[in-house]
Amino acid sequence: MSKLKCEQRNGYLVCYPRRRRKKPKRTVVKVLAALGIVAFFLLLFYPYIGNPEAPRPVLPPIQTITPQTLTDFARPTNSANGIVATSVTQTLELEDNVSKVQAVDYLNYIRSEEGIPPVQLINLNVAKYRAEYLAQTNLFSHYDAGGRHPGYWYTQLDGGLYGVEENLMARYVMGGGQLPSEVAEVNYTDAIYSLVFNDALSMWGHRDSLLDPCNNYAAMATSYFWNGTYGARYYVVYMVAKWVEWISPPHYEGGRFTAEGYAAPEMKPKFFAVYYAEYESNPASRHSYDVGDLYLCKVLDSPLATCKDAQEPAGTFIAERAQDGRWYIKIDASASLDKPGLYTFEIIAEDLRGIKWSPMSPWGDARIGRCVIMEYTVEI
């Protein structure tokens, strides 16, 4: 029986049944509560690896004058999503070499399972610089605020001696109170695992970079920031193709590029190429990086072949087998660089080892047997 509710209206006592409010079903309440908890933890612990854009081949098809067929060499792009976040406190830290060694051992285990030779740990100034830059600016992008790709800083800080690929990872954390362990603790092995196995959003570009047989060294650095409610742990992994012993390292000055050295017997020099890139106008919006469009190109292993749709630089170009099996390289090229921007000089080699592996990114087949063994960038 319903209870009556009575109240005074215009001098009369009026009574009417009181309506009961229907209680929500317990099942609905439990479902909503569970969804709220899941959403909270997704925001609290969220690792991020960027999405790549469609890659751009960096070498054009070869226009062959002789019956010999020359293969087009393409350089894949790396990836990271550009996100700008404002912080109050940026924290830099000393390197954890023990964690790095463990991560390299783990990466080599993964590579061995794929039949790929191991890598060695190497120190690069650019890796540490880029990690510190991410913590100071929270610009999670391969490009700096001035629109320069990482090849510029690699040349400035490490000489541009070898081929390199930059890989970035960020783990974001939200929540007040003390510094979360996900930000405070350094775990390079976890970063390697994420870059290799949790890379679907990046279309497996990081995975292919870390497993590419061309890369025989790895450099790592990390940093973090925390403002009391929001923070991030940044990891920077440079994969390095170190195959050349330089007599005279790469150098550009006064319109002239020079380099002289010996490449390993496994790496047959195929192309000398120069790429031009304008400054990136919106670094935070870029999900990947590349070294630009082909500007100059010279085929090194065939005097009768030319690069299609690219001007051939004048100068001396020698790439020949030495008595000890290595490849002697000597380049003295005239290169007039007149447009403002970044110019990247590369030597691309054919990997003669015949290693079979399976890239997973859409542009991954362009990696097989093709190695950038020198990457040197200048700013005009």
Side-chain angles (χ1 to χ4, degrees):
M1 182 175 180
S2 300
K3 294 182 179 180
L4 295 178
K5 180 179 180 180
C6 299
E7 58 184 23
Q8 195 77 20
R9 291 186 181 179
N10 299 325
Y12 296 93
L13 183 65
V14 179
C15 297
Y16 51 88
R18 176 181 293 175
R19 293 182 180 178
R20 290 184 178 180
R21 294 183 179 178
K22 293 184 179 180
K23 296 182 179 180
K25 294 183 178 181
R26 292 185 178 181
T27 303
V28 176
V29 173
K30 290 180 179 180
V31 170
L32 292 176
L35 290 175
I37 293 173
V38 171
F40 172 77
F41 280 102
L42 284 176
L43 290 174
L44 188 60
F45 305 109
Y46 177 64
Y48 181 80
I49 304 174
N51 295 327
E53 296 176 340
R56 176 190 303 143
V58 298
L59 277 175
I62 295 300
Q63 179 180 352
T64 307
I65 299 177
T66 65
Q68 178 185 8
T69 301
L70 299 178
T71 307
D72 173 27
F73 281 65
R75 177 176 175 81
T77 58
N78 286 343
S79 59
N81 195 347
I83 294 179
V84 179
T86 302
S87 70
V88 176
T89 303
Q90 296 89 29
T91 305
L92 310 178
E93 60 192 354
L94 297 176
E95 296 297 330
D96 186 342
N97 286 324
V98 174
S99 181
K100 288 182 182 180
V101 171
Q102 292 173 344
V104 169
D105 289 342
Y106 178 60
L107 176 58
N108 284 335
Y109 168 76
I110 300 171
R111 289 169 68 103
S112 67
E113 291 292 298
E114 299 290 332
I116 301 170
V119 299
Q120 300 180 52
L121 187 64
I122 189 174
N123 289 323
L124 286 183
N125 295 321
V126 67
K128 182 178 180 180
Y129 171 81
R130 291 286 292 141
E132 293 176 352
Y133 186 85
L134 294 177
Q136 290 172 346
T137 65
N138 294 309
L139 174 60
F140 188 58
S141 171
H142 288 294
Y143 293 87
D144 65 16
R148 302 176 187 88
H149 61 67
Y152 169 78
W153 291 110
Y154 167 61
T155 302
Q156 289 293 307
L157 299 171
D158 294 288
L161 304 178
Y162 314 114
V164 295
E165 294 178 331
E166 179 183 89
N167 297 272
L168 303 180
M169 176 192 159
R171 186 176 296 279
Y172 295 106
V173 176
M174 297 179 63
Q178 297 180 348
L179 181 66
S181 61
E182 289 77 10
V183 172
E185 296 176 359
V186 174
N187 192 336
Y188 284 106
T189 300
D190 178 67
I192 295 298
Y193 177 87
S194 296
L195 289 168
V196 174
F197 296 109
N198 292 339
D199 199 36
L201 291 178
S202 296
M203 300 171 67
W204 306 106
H206 297 110
R207 180 256 186 198
D208 288 355
S209 176
L210 269 64
L211 299 188
D212 193 332
C214 292
N215 299 320
N216 54 353
Y217 285 84
M220 304 178 189
T222 187
S223 64
Y224 75 88
F225 84 92
W226 175 249
N227 64 7
T229 58
Y230 175 79
R233 163 66 64 179
Y234 295 114
Y235 291 95
V236 178
V237 179
Y238 267 74
M239 299 306 296
V240 185
K242 181 182 177 182
W243 296 99
V244 183
E245 293 183 15
W246 293 107
I247 300 171
S248 177
H251 182 70
Y252 178 81
E253 186 176 2
R256 182 166 165 253
F257 176 85
T258 58
E260 183 180 9
Y262 287 91
E266 305 95 319
M267 296 292 159
K268 180 182 180 181
K270 297 284 288 187
F271 298 97
F272 170 75
V274 183
Y275 300 91
Y276 168 71
E278 296 180 343
Y279 297 109
E280 176 56 46
S281 59
N282 190 2
S285 69
R286 284 296 303 270
H287 296 193
S288 66
Y289 80 93
D290 57 48
V291 294
D293 298 318
L294 190 64
Y295 186 74
L296 299 171
C297 183
K298 172 68 176 178
V299 180
L300 297 177
D301 66 339
S302 177
L304 298 180
T306 60
C307 297
K308 186 178 180 181
D309 300 328
Q311 184 179 354
E312 185 173 296
T316 300
F317 302 90
I318 301 175
E320 58 188 16
R321 182 81 80 168
Q323 291 184 352
D324 61 0
R326 295 183 299 170
W327 296 93
Y328 174 68
I329 303 170
K330 183 175 182 179
I331 298 174
D332 188 343
S334 175
S336 178
L337 313 179
D338 50 4
K339 296 188 295 183
L342 301 175
Y343 293 83
T344 299
F345 299 81
E346 290 189 349
I347 296 177
I348 300 94
E350 177 185 359
D351 187 349
L352 301 179
R353 294 173 295 174
I355 298 173
K356 295 182 179 180
W357 69 295
S358 300
M360 290 178 60
S361 62
W363 59 91
D365 288 344
R367 288 180 171 272
I368 298 176
R370 304 160 174 86
C371 302
V372 176
I373 59 175
M374 183 206 75
E375 183 176 312
Y376 178 92
T377 300
V378 297
E379 181 178 24
I380 302 299

